[in-house]
Amino acid sequence: MIDGSLPRLEFWCDLQCPDCRTALDDVRALRAQYGDALSVELRHFPLEKHKHAYAAAEAAEEAFGQGLGWPFVEALLARVEELDARGQQVLLDVAREVGADVEEVDTALVDGRHMLTVDADQAEGKAIGITGTPTYVIGGKRLDGGQSQDGLRAEIVAVIEAAKAS
């Protein structure tokens, strides 16, 4: 299969959400199963109840700009409780750990250079009916994992396999 030959999987995520950390296991499994043929796109949907989620989304965008987005996202989701307790310092610590330019991440949080991207994701998410995280969108189908993630990976695989067959 060639890169992008399957429907794109959008992973709507709040980077301070423990359920999104759990959902990352499904994303990893899908990547392992389909490799580069499956394009996985992180979409930001920071929830108001998580006071550092918006800044985390901005920091992740800066990390993506530096080519380290997924390592940053994975490392940050592993530390959601610490992010809740220690705030933005954790974003800089994670940036350092994954090899990102920490000064640029810090500057991005101050100057708001990624606010439009995060705001646009949030607005689009609301427009398509997303109310919580994690949520997946693939092949025009929205799968809400906020209540339960049971069976979601199987549903995603079914959409992918149907696309492969057509």
Side-chain angles (χ1 to χ4, degrees), residues 17-37:
C17 172
D19 291 334
C20 289
R21 173 182 48 209
T22 303
L24 196 55
D25 290 338
D26 284 339
V27 172
R28 284 186 193 113
L30 291 163
R31 282 182 166 159
Q33 184 172 353
Y34 294 103
D36 290 340

Side-chain angles (χ1 to χ4, degrees), residues 1 20 41 46 51 54 63 66 72 91 97 99 102 110 113 118 124 126 135 137-138 144 148 165:
M1 268 179 234
C20 289
E41 181 181 359
K51 64 183 176 181
Y54 192 94
Q66 295 181 31
F72 180 89
L91 303 175
E97 289 167 15
V102 178
V110 172
R113 68 182 76 158
V118 177
E124 183 180 338
K126 287 177 182 176
T135 297
V137 176
I138 185 164
D144 181 4
S148 172

Side-chain angles (χ1 to χ4, degrees), residues 53-72:
Y54 192 94
E58 289 181 288
E61 279 302 306
E62 181 60 31
F64 274 105
Q66 295 181 31
L68 296 165
W70 281 107
F72 180 89

